[in-house]
């Protein structure tokens, strides 16, 4: 493990600056190259003392820049009084630069102002004291060793802080991008898990139930029928699995779009479920009570003038023979439970509409956005799968409706109780998937046992909001 640097241990570059400045100053002193004579009769060797002190202050230019600048200021004053060495002056300007660059933010703001003030005081003082314009040169020299290095340090510090801020912003952006990527991957994994469960779980449940029945029953005919259902569901499950795997393996994104299940397919879904659950005494019924969505106020106002106009129904009947009675409908096959209670594909008619009447004006609002239809279909599909696995004998009712705000209401009610037929094990993943689908659309979901009279039922209820902007 590398050892941490001591807070007062000098930097390698600072040591080089100090040693280099000391050797240069000793050479200048040996050659007697002073910039000015000593003042007040002070001995010239004091400039060596100032040189050694200034070289020692150079060692603090990074670790303690403000302390180093304070020591360097005292050494510069001694050097000026004892005969100036240019090396000592240069090291002082470097310490001014280092104090602004490496010092605290307060020092970086204060030192340039102090340099302006000192330069102005020296310039004005020499002009007033000597009454000579040549004193301006002293002010210029003071500015060169104080203001210029302070400016340079401030500019470089500003650029370094901007670069550091840019690096931090880049790191933050990269971190947010990574978090978004992980969240997207997790969401996609959850979506894939829901789709895989919804597509395959029903088929596998049917296979488990009928395989158990085939093993427990001794009737060859019942066993043959169970094997037929097993084969049908296994083939369909394999087809769905292959389709999903093909979509996952297609990295080009050129795969043809697949059909999205809609509520129009609920009748076929219930027919298949009734065929699977007939041996366990289960029947299924679909009640589609959606009708036309409530008209918006602007539609109601637009329809109001037409309502005031007289129609042919309001006029007195013309004289003549009474109309002939309609012939009775032709006999046909009995309707299924779903057809008796209504279908989502049938157009919505006005209450007083007669034969041949056109659909009501609000019938277009019967259409739902694709995400809402897919979520409702998958919720019903999973609820029927759970009913096939766990419900007691009786009728499973699927009810569709619309709330006052246009939201789609989905309800699946199945009887609770013991049954003689086989049951398939469950893990609770279906309830989690249904709740996730409702939550993703901003809807509500609840499922649990209830008491209806003397019977125990299991009710699945979902409310899926319909956004007007996404309505087709």
């Amino acid at each position: 493990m590398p050892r941490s640097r001591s807070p007062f241990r000098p930097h390698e570059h600072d040591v080089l600056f100090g040693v280099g400045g000391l050797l240069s100053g000793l050479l200048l002193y040996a050659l007697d190259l002073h910039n000015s004579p000593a003042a007040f009769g002070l001995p010239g060797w004091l400039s060596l003392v100032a040189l050694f002190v200034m070289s020692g202050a150079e060692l603090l230019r990074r670790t303690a820049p403000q302390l180093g600048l304070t020591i360097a200021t005292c050494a510069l004053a001694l050097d000026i009084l004892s005969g100036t060495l240019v090396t000592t002056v240069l090291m002082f300007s470097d310490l001014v630069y280092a104090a602004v660059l490496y010092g605290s933010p307060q020092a970086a703001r204060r030192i340039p102002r102090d340099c302006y003030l000192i330069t102005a005081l020296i310039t004005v003082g020499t002009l007033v004291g000597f009454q000579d314009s040549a004193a301006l040169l002293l002010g210029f020299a003071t500015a060169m060793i104080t203001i210029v290095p302070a400016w340079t340090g401030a500019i470089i510090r500003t650029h370094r802080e901007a670069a550091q801020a840019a690096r931090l912003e880049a790191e933050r952006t990269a971190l947010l991008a990574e978090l978004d990527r992980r969240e997207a991957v997790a969401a996609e994994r959850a979506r894939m898990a829901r789709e895989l469960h919804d597509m395959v779980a029903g088929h596998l449940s049917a296979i488990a139930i009928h395989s158990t029945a085939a093993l427990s029953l001794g009737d060859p005919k019942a066993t043959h029928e169970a094997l037929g259902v097993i084969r049908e569901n296994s083939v369909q499950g394999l087809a769905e699995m292959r389709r999903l795997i093909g979509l996952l393996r297609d990295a080009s994104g050129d795969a043809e779009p697949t059909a999205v299940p809609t509520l129009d397919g609920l009748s076929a879904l219930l027919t298949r479920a009734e065929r699977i659950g007939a041996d366990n005494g289960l029947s299924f019924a679909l009640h589609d009570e959606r009708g036309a969505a409530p008209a918006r106020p602007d539609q109601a106002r637009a329809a109001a003038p037409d309502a005031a106009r007289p129609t042919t129904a309001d006029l007195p009947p013309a004289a003549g023979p009474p109309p002939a009675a309609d012939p009775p409908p032709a006999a046909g096959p009995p309707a299924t439970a779903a057809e008796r209670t209504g279908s989502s594909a049938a157009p919505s008619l006005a209450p007083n509409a007669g034969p041949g009447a056109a659909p009501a004006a609000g019938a277009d609002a019967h259409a739902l956005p694709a995400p809402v239809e897919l979520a409702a279909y998958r919720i019903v599909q999973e609820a029927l799968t759970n009913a096939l696995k766990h419900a007691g004998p009786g009728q499973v009712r699927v009810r569709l409706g619309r709330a006052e705000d246009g939201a789609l209401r989905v309800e699946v009610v199945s009887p609770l109780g013991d049954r003689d037929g086989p049951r398939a094990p469950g893990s609770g993943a279906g309830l989690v998937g249904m709740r996730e689908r409702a939550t993703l659309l901003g809807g509500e979901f609840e499922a649990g046992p209830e008491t209806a009279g003397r019977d125990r039922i299991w009710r699945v209820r979902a409310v899926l909001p319909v956004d007007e902007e996404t309505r087709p």
Side-chain angles (χ1 to χ4, degrees):
M1 242 183 114
R3 293 180 299 177
S4 60
R5 180 186 295 273
S6 173
F8 290 101
R9 181 182 177 184
H11 194 273
E12 292 82 357
H13 294 170
D14 299 343
V15 174
L16 292 178
F17 289 157
V19 173
L22 178 61
L23 295 178
S24 300
L26 290 176
L27 179 60
L28 293 177
Y29 182 82
L31 298 176
D32 197 18
L33 296 177
H34 291 80
N35 291 1
S36 61
F40 307 112
L42 295 176
W45 57 266
L46 290 178
S47 60
L48 286 179
V49 176
L51 177 64
F52 276 95
V53 173
M54 190 70 73
S55 299
E58 280 283 2
L59 302 179
L60 304 175
R61 64 190 301 272
R62 293 175 190 260
T63 57
Q66 295 172 245
L67 177 61
L69 181 59
T70 303
I71 297 174
T73 303
C74 299
L76 179 65
L78 179 61
D79 179 72
I80 293 174
L81 294 177
S82 59
T84 307
L85 290 175
V86 67
T87 304
T88 305
V89 176
L90 291 178
M91 285 192 291
F92 174 80
S93 63
D94 176 67
L95 286 168
V96 173
Y97 161 82
V100 176
L101 181 60
Y102 303 115
S104 63
Q106 295 82 3
R109 293 191 297 267
R110 187 185 68 250
I111 291 175
R113 295 197 299 265
D114 295 343
C115 292
Y116 301 149
L117 180 60
I118 292 173
T119 301
L121 290 177
I122 291 177
T123 303
V124 174
T126 52
L127 281 175
V128 173
F130 295 97
Q131 298 292 324
D132 189 354
S133 59
L136 294 175
L137 295 177
L138 182 59
F140 178 76
T142 304
M144 291 297 294
I145 65 174
T146 56
I147 296 178
V148 172
W151 274 356
T152 305
I155 292 173
I156 296 178
R157 184 186 182 110
T158 301
H159 283 287
R160 286 189 177 182
E161 290 177 350
Q164 179 66 16
R167 281 195 299 271
L168 293 177
E169 181 64 22
E171 293 176 359
R172 189 178 71 88
T173 302
L175 178 60
L176 292 177
E178 178 64 18
L179 294 177
D180 290 342
R181 186 192 68 82
R182 292 183 182 181
E183 183 178 355
V185 170
E188 184 65 16
R189 288 170 64 92
R191 188 186 69 83
M192 291 166 53
R194 285 194 303 270
E195 290 295 326
L196 182 62
H197 179 274
D198 292 341
M199 289 189 302
V200 180
H203 300 300
L204 294 181
S205 298
I207 292 173
I209 293 173
H210 283 80
S211 62
T212 305
L215 292 174
S216 60
L217 297 177
D219 186 3
K221 182 180 179 181
T223 302
H224 184 270
E225 293 178 355
L227 291 177
V229 175
I230 290 174
R231 183 185 183 282
E232 177 186 357
N233 282 275
S234 61
V235 170
Q236 293 178 356
L238 286 174
E240 295 287 349
M241 181 74 74
R242 290 193 186 102
R243 183 180 69 83
L244 182 60
I245 293 176
L247 291 175
L248 295 177
R249 286 180 174 175
D250 183 23
S252 62
D254 298 332
E256 296 183 359
T258 57
V260 178
T262 63
L263 296 180
D264 294 337
L266 288 183
S267 296
L269 186 64
L270 264 69
T271 302
R272 185 166 63 250
E274 189 161 5
R275 186 170 64 252
I276 297 173
D279 295 338
N280 293 323
L282 290 175
S283 62
F284 296 82
L286 172 62
H287 303 271
D288 192 346
E289 302 172 354
R290 288 176 292 169
R296 295 190 299 270
D298 54 348
Q299 295 175 340
R301 288 193 298 270
D306 295 335
R309 299 173 184 172
T311 62
T312 55
D314 300 326
L315 298 177
D326 293 335
T336 64
E339 293 170 345
R340 290 195 303 269
T341 54
S343 172
S344 60
S348 176
L349 302 179
N352 299 324
D364 293 340
H366 195 224
L368 294 170
V372 176
E373 288 218 36
L374 177 60
Y377 182 91
R378 293 302 189 193
I379 290 174
V380 173
Q381 182 184 33
E382 181 58 31
L384 295 180
T385 300
N386 291 339
L388 290 173
K389 292 192 294 185
H390 307 294
Q395 188 181 61
V396 179
R397 297 185 302 276
V398 179
R399 190 181 304 275
L400 302 177
R402 298 294 290 272
E404 294 181 358
D405 58 355
L408 177 64
R409 293 182 300 183
V410 180
E411 185 179 82
V412 181
V413 178
S414 57
L416 280 179
D418 297 331
R419 69 184 186 192
D420 299 332
R423 292 177 181 265
S427 62
L431 292 177
V432 175
M434 290 189 285
R435 188 178 304 278
E436 288 178 351
R437 288 188 181 276
T439 303
L440 287 175
L441 295 176
E444 302 174 1
F445 176 83
E446 58 181 5
E450 296 182 8
T451 301
R454 291 181 299 176
D455 299 329
R456 293 280 293 169
I457 62 173
W458 181 273
R459 189 187 304 273
V460 175
R461 183 186 296 111
V463 179
L464 306 178
V466 177
D467 189 359
E468 289 292 336
E469 297 180 358
T470 60
R471 186 189 296 278

